[in-house]
Amino acid sequence: MEMSTIINEFSNSSTPPSFSEGYRFMVLRLLISNCSALLAIILNILSALILYKNPNCFGETTTVFAKGFSFVGIVNGFQILLSENVNELVLTVDHVQMCWVLLFIAILTSQLNLHFITCLTIDRYIAIRYSLRYHTFLSPTRAVRISIAAVAVSVFVTGFTYSDRILFSDVYFDDHHRVCSITDDNYSVEPPAIWKLLQILTVMLIGIALPVIFVVVVNIYLFVVTVGHARRLKKSVPEVRLENNAATEQAVIESFPGPAEPFLLTQLKIARTFIVVSGLFLAVWLPSLLFVILSKVATVDTKLQKTSTLLLNCNPWLNDVVYFVMNKRYRKAARKMFSED
């Protein structure tokens, strides 16, 4: 389907209203998705450069995970460009092989996002729960190894997600809804029951349930701790706040007793940033996942499902906005990089 054909259909007054509305929604969705994809690529490249030049924005170890997360954001941007435009403008029923590529990339980027957020959550938990032993548990070298493991797990889960479909059934392109689909009924060979069981356990536990439950529970804990320390700060240094509302971090740090407090205060500020990042991702990813699951057992409104996907497409570039708004060191590093240029 060529873009010129779409424009001609818009200008054709004899086109039924519902037909035109469908095209209007498609063009609007493509416009927003492409803008989001370009923003994700540009902002995540800039974020990776900022973190590379200034590894102390989040701490050296945390920055390793953040750089990996930025790389995932770049891949996610290219995936959005590819899948949205190919689905709507290129694919036909004769291009079903492309569906395998699109499905694999879409699932892989989703898994990479989830597992890197899990890595960041682990990092924040150790930094706050075990402040004095943080560098014993985690170092930049170990962070690199954990990041590689996260990529390996993501690839494994992605490959296993549709393994029985690849081996035993067919993929097809749903021209009416302009999406790639996989047949659930027409197995060329019925997969073994043990294969199905292993697939369900792998996908549901490693790919969804365990990471999501861990991220939600730990981030709630981190939020409670952050609020508790904020109240403690308010009670501990009222004289600093009364004298100057823009009190420096050093003045606040010196008001706390104990060797772990300065480090803990910095980690709490970083934790707040990644709590917001994790919350934003889960808020747009879980509804999209729910629609995918529901579509297998019931009829789902296509426009509503694609709207949830559209919100998910906006997530990769929001992370960098959160970094800039919530992290003072990141803002300074970004301004310094542009002022030097």
Side-chain angles (χ1 to χ4, degrees):
M1 187 181 296
E2 300 293 338
M3 183 58 75
S4 59
T5 307
I6 297 173
I7 296 171
N8 290 334
E9 291 290 349
F10 268 120
S11 60
N12 187 356
S13 58
S14 62
T15 305
S18 60
F19 197 59
S20 296
E21 287 173 10
Y23 271 130
R24 288 191 187 98
F25 177 72
M26 184 198 75
V27 171
L28 178 63
R29 196 169 65 85
L30 278 178
L31 180 64
I32 296 174
S33 294
N34 285 322
C35 289
S36 295
L38 291 173
L39 273 174
I41 294 168
I42 294 168
L43 291 181
N44 279 287
I45 289 174
L46 289 174
S47 178
L49 289 173
I50 291 169
L51 294 174
Y52 177 76
K53 290 184 176 181
N54 302 272
N56 290 323
C57 287
F58 299 116
E60 194 173 356
T61 302
T62 309
T63 299
V64 173
F65 295 124
K67 285 190 287 189
F69 200 35
S70 294
F71 173 75
V72 174
I74 297 169
V75 174
N76 209 343
F78 282 110
Q79 178 264 322
I80 294 168
L81 278 177
L82 179 66
S83 61
E84 293 295 333
N85 290 287
V86 170
N87 263 352
E88 296 290 355
L89 304 176
V90 178
L91 278 183
T92 68
V93 291
D94 298 323
H95 297 109
V96 293
Q97 291 81 7
M98 182 63 76
C99 281
W100 287 121
V101 179
L102 296 179
L103 286 169
F104 183 86
I105 295 174
I107 298 168
L108 179 59
T109 53
S110 175
Q111 285 295 308
L112 285 170
N113 274 298
L114 180 60
H115 284 98
F116 266 95
I117 283 178
T118 304
C119 290
L120 286 164
T121 304
I122 293 171
D123 174 80
R124 292 299 84 215
Y125 175 79
I126 294 175
I128 292 173
R129 184 70 178 82
Y130 304 100
S131 299
L132 290 176
R133 291 183 288 171
Y134 172 72
H135 294 293
T136 304
F137 289 133
L138 282 179
S139 64
T141 304
R142 287 182 181 176
V144 170
R145 292 172 184 170
I146 294 171
S147 299
I148 294 172
V151 174
V153 170
S154 300
V155 172
F156 171 73
V157 172
T158 303
F160 212 55
T161 299
Y162 287 112
S163 56
D164 65 327
R165 308 302 199 269
I166 296 171
L167 295 173
F168 305 111
S169 65
D170 298 317
V171 67
Y172 71 95
F173 179 70
D174 185 344
D175 191 55
H176 178 65
H177 296 107
R178 307 296 303 171
V179 293
C180 292
S181 299
I182 295 178
T183 55
D184 290 321
D185 302 321
N186 300 324
Y187 284 107
S188 55
V189 179
E190 185 66 25
I194 187 66
W195 186 281
K196 284 188 173 182
L197 179 62
L198 285 173
Q199 185 194 43
I200 292 172
L201 290 175
T202 301
V203 175
M204 294 305 296
L205 290 180
I206 302 176
I208 300 175
L210 290 180
V212 169
I213 292 171
F214 178 82
V215 169
V216 170
V217 171
V218 173
N219 275 287
I220 290 173
Y221 166 78
L222 293 177
F223 176 77
V224 172
V225 170
T226 302
V227 171
H229 277 273
R231 290 176 179 172
R232 176 186 172 188
L233 173 63
K234 193 173 182 179
K235 292 178 180 179
S236 300
V237 285
E239 66 283 354
V240 174
R241 290 181 176 274
L242 287 172
E243 291 174 5
N244 184 4
N245 290 329
T248 62
E249 182 177 314
Q250 187 60 35
V252 175
I253 287 173
E254 289 173 355
S255 67
F256 280 109
E261 295 297 350
F263 178 78
L264 180 59
L265 181 62
T266 303
Q267 300 308 314
L268 286 169
K269 291 182 177 181
I270 298 172
R272 285 200 296 267
T273 303
F274 289 109
I275 288 171
V276 174
V277 168
S278 302
L280 282 173
F281 174 74
L282 292 178
V284 295
W285 182 71
L286 288 177
S288 182
L289 176 67
L290 182 62
F291 276 117
V292 172
I293 295 172
L294 287 176
S295 65
K296 300 296 181 182
V297 295
T299 303
V300 177
D301 186 284
T302 305
K303 186 176 288 189
L304 196 59
Q305 183 175 1
K306 290 193 174 185
T307 301
S308 71
T309 305
L310 184 63
L311 292 174
L312 182 61
N313 291 344
C314 295
N315 181 251
W317 60 267
L318 285 175
N319 300 330
D320 306 293
V321 175
V322 172
Y323 296 162
F324 188 84
V325 171
M326 298 190 66
N327 190 286
K328 187 176 180 180
R329 292 179 181 177
Y330 187 90
R331 284 199 302 275
K332 285 184 177 180
R335 288 167 181 164
K336 182 180 178 181
M337 187 177 74
F338 285 110
S339 63
E340 286 176 352
D341 293 340

